[in-house]
Amino acid sequence: MTTPSRATGWPTRLLASGQRPADEADLRVRKRTAVVVALALTLASLAYVPFGLALNQPVVVAVAILQSMGQMGGIGYLRRTGRLGPMVVWMIALGQLVILSGVATLGGLNAAGGNLVWGLLTPMAAVLFFGRRAALPALAVYVGVVLLSVALDPWFVAIGPSVAADLSRAMFIVNLLGPAAVALGLVVLIDGERVAARERSEALLLNVLPRSIVQRLHGGERVIADHYPEVTVLFSDVVDFTPFSERQPPERVVAVLNDLFTAFDGLAAERGLEKIKTIGDAYMVVAGVPEPRDDHVEVMLEMAIAMHAAASAQPAVDGHRLQVRTGIATGPVVAGVIGRQKFSYDLWGDTVNTASRMESSGVPGCIQVTPETWRRCRASYPWQVREGVEVKGKGPMRTYLLDPALVTESVD
């Protein structure tokens, strides 16, 4: 997290008081909420200044001003130290003292009992900032303030001013609407943060899972496994990348792969294909999963040709252009989600294995496909037949080879 600049304005900087780059997202939310509560209590305290003036009670005015200064001081402490706990304890303790002093200086429970309504915010604040275990201690503090007010009420009445009925009603309205407004503001703020957190969580899930699968997980499905009778799977591998990675620093290796695979990701997104994963310097993508489509073979061949063009367009590495080797197979697969801590959407089946074998037994710079794939697009491209390609687990196979450069030249 970056520190807010002056360009963002003082309100943003004020709300970000006490936030540190190392803070987790939840802590940043709680700090921001504490600042909002402190500001709300500051404004509520200042609302009592007119009542104090109307009653000719300088003590009420002084308490209101001191409460406001104290809450702003808490924000200043948070901004200076970044420590949320002491600031919240100070905010709650100061609030309880002001509630009790308000009942005392405004004539007791009959005249100012509405002040106690503000204390209902204490357990809410404790749970919000410290967790559920703080609820009972905070409630006990509030109950103690109420009981103390009841016990001392005769004395408060004796020393307090005589409050006119209209003024008493006005104070009662403030004491009802003020806490209600603060509580509603907290609920709205927390709900907004909850929605934002959910959106961030969903965005992270969408980086690893298809949208329809995320929706099914949100719908309560725990085991997601589907059979697809016909899809097209592609594996692509960077030629001679292992020797390159041994000669280069890690940052350079990662940068090269990141640039290339980011380009591949864009090509897949343009065509509505589902990237499954990267394995080292290999890239796996599927057409027809999780949403079936009739043109899965055609669109995958377009993808493969575009991938080879994208690799050729990358800057030269050690004086050599990047070159990829691609394998494609068409057939049935099973697709599903595995894992609980780290989700993974993956494919299984002979089609997946065969696509991988098409890549590993292929020719650098070319696309090798199975007969099933070839039959769907045999008239569309200048194929070269390969006889007796040894495929692990299948033995000798007839495969079909496409040189993307020939396709690009014919288009040009």
Side-chain angles (χ1 to χ4, degrees):
M1 188 201 75
T2 57
T3 303
S5 65
R6 292 187 179 277
T8 61
W10 67 265
T12 301
R13 296 198 302 272
L14 181 61
L15 290 176
S17 295
Q19 295 187 15
R20 300 292 188 264
D23 289 348
E24 295 182 354
D26 177 67
L27 181 56
R28 292 199 295 270
V29 170
R30 287 188 286 129
K31 286 182 177 180
R32 186 162 59 248
T33 304
V35 172
V36 171
V37 172
L39 291 173
L41 293 178
T42 298
L43 295 176
S45 298
L46 293 176
Y48 271 83
V49 171
F51 294 126
L53 295 174
L55 293 168
N56 195 27
Q57 290 287 320
V59 175
V60 175
V61 176
V63 168
I65 294 175
L66 289 174
Q67 153 84 333
S68 300
M69 294 174 61
Q71 296 296 350
M72 294 304 295
I75 296 176
Y77 172 85
L78 177 64
R79 187 177 187 85
R80 187 170 58 256
T81 67
R83 298 178 61 196
L84 178 64
M87 183 264 193
V88 173
V89 171
W90 165 254
M91 181 172 62
I92 291 175
L94 183 60
Q96 298 302 309
L97 289 173
V98 170
I99 290 170
L100 188 60
S101 65
V103 177
T105 57
L106 292 172
L109 293 176
N110 285 337
N115 280 32
L116 295 174
V117 178
W118 286 96
L120 292 173
L121 297 174
T122 302
M124 293 177 56
V127 172
L128 180 63
F129 297 118
F130 297 123
R132 290 179 295 177
R133 289 184 294 181
L136 289 179
L139 181 61
V141 170
Y142 175 56
V143 170
V145 172
V146 172
L147 295 178
L148 187 59
S149 298
V150 172
L152 298 177
D153 185 56
W155 184 60
F156 292 160
V157 173
I159 66 172
S162 177
V163 181
D166 290 343
L167 194 57
S168 178
R169 281 193 292 270
M171 288 192 299
F172 183 73
I173 290 173
V174 170
N175 287 327
L176 284 182
L177 297 183
V182 174
L184 179 60
L186 282 176
V187 170
V188 171
L189 179 64
I190 294 168
D191 183 66
E193 295 293 346
R194 179 184 59 82
V195 171
R198 184 178 64 193
E199 290 175 349
R200 288 192 295 269
S201 175
E202 183 155 333
L204 288 174
L205 279 176
L206 289 173
N207 281 334
V208 295
L209 300 176
R211 181 176 297 276
S212 61
I213 300 301
V214 171
Q215 292 171 346
R216 289 168 64 180
L217 287 172
H218 286 326
E221 290 190 52
R222 290 294 173 263
V223 178
I224 295 180
D226 302 298
H227 177 264
Y228 295 87
E230 189 175 71
V231 305
T232 298
V233 181
L234 175 151
F235 276 87
S236 194
D237 183 80
V238 182
V239 178
D240 293 331
F241 195 79
T242 299
F244 163 77
S245 64
E246 293 172 349
R247 298 190 304 268
Q248 299 293 329
E251 297 81 3
R252 174 64 169 156
V253 173
V254 173
V256 169
L257 276 184
N258 181 63
D259 290 343
L260 180 62
F261 287 172
T262 297
F264 289 175
D265 288 346
L267 296 174
E270 290 173 7
R271 292 162 175 78
L273 305 180
E274 191 62 41
K275 171 189 174 183
I276 299 301
K277 58 187 172 184
T278 60
I279 310 168
D281 58 328
Y283 190 92
M284 178 183 178
V285 64
V286 62
V289 174
E291 305 301 329
R293 54 190 298 175
D294 294 332
D295 64 341
H296 53 89
V297 173
E298 292 83 358
V299 73
M300 188 60 85
L301 281 167
E302 292 176 6
M303 172 70 179
I305 294 167
M307 289 172 67
H308 281 253
S312 299
Q314 294 294 312
V317 178
D318 283 352
H320 300 284
R321 292 287 178 184
L322 290 179
Q323 193 177 43
V324 294
R325 179 177 53 236
T326 300
I328 298 176
T330 300
V333 298
V334 172
V337 177
I338 57 174
R340 284 293 178 264
Q341 300 300 320
K342 293 184 178 180
F343 288 111
S344 175
Y345 187 70
D346 211 342
L347 306 180
W348 299 271
D350 183 65
T351 302
V352 177
N353 296 333
T354 303
S356 176
R357 302 290 183 260
M358 290 295 100
E359 179 275 315
S360 60
S361 63
V363 176
C366 293
I367 303 164
Q368 181 168 247
V369 307
T370 61
E372 292 80 4
T373 305
W374 170 79
R375 276 193 287 269
R376 292 281 293 267
C377 288
R378 57 187 175 185
S380 302
Y381 299 104
W383 296 101
Q384 174 186 346
V385 181
R386 295 186 76 197
E387 297 285 359
V389 176
E390 192 65 34
V391 177
K392 183 179 178 180
K394 290 183 173 293
M397 277 186 63
R398 171 183 289 182
T399 65
Y400 298 84
L401 204 64
L402 175 64
D403 184 349
L406 297 179
V407 178
T408 305
E409 291 172 4
S410 64
V411 171
D412 295 339

